[in-house]
Amino acid sequence: MRLGIIETVGLAASLIFAIPLGLFGIESLLSGRPALGGGLVVVAVLMVVLPRRLTTPADLPGAVVERVVGSAVKEPDADDEERRTD
């Protein structure tokens, strides 16, 4: 899946905060604090995964337009391709 510029900047911003948090969580796991370390690793993963998976109210108009355009525009069939080349 290709990311646009806005999605790439958003992912980079999430990673800026998630990577140090995840590293601290791993250090906490290795130093004998499994609850704190595991919790921090889970939060770091969720910081990166949730924005890509959740649909927010701001995303709904784009999703509706994409669905409408996808149903209105059909992919060319193999028959259509053969007719163009003839």
Side-chain angles (χ1 to χ4, degrees):
M1 180 183 330
R2 299 179 73 181
L3 297 177
I5 292 173
I6 302 296
E7 290 90 6
T8 303
V9 170
L11 178 61
S14 295
L15 288 173
I16 286 172
F17 294 104
I19 289 173
L21 187 64
L23 290 175
F24 183 68
I26 291 171
E27 285 183 18
S28 297
L29 278 171
L30 296 176
S31 68
R33 295 179 286 186
L36 175 65
L40 290 176
V41 170
V42 167
V43 169
V45 169
L46 290 177
M47 286 174 67
V48 176
V49 172
L50 282 183
R52 300 277 303 141
R53 297 288 178 205
L54 289 181
T55 302
T56 63
D59 297 336
L60 290 178
V64 169
V65 169
E66 184 177 320
R67 186 170 290 166
V68 168
V69 169
S71 64
V73 177
K74 67 174 194 148
E75 294 290 325
D77 295 334
D79 295 335
D80 294 337
E81 293 293 325
E82 289 176 11
R83 288 183 200 138
R84 276 191 230 158
T85 56
D86 292 337

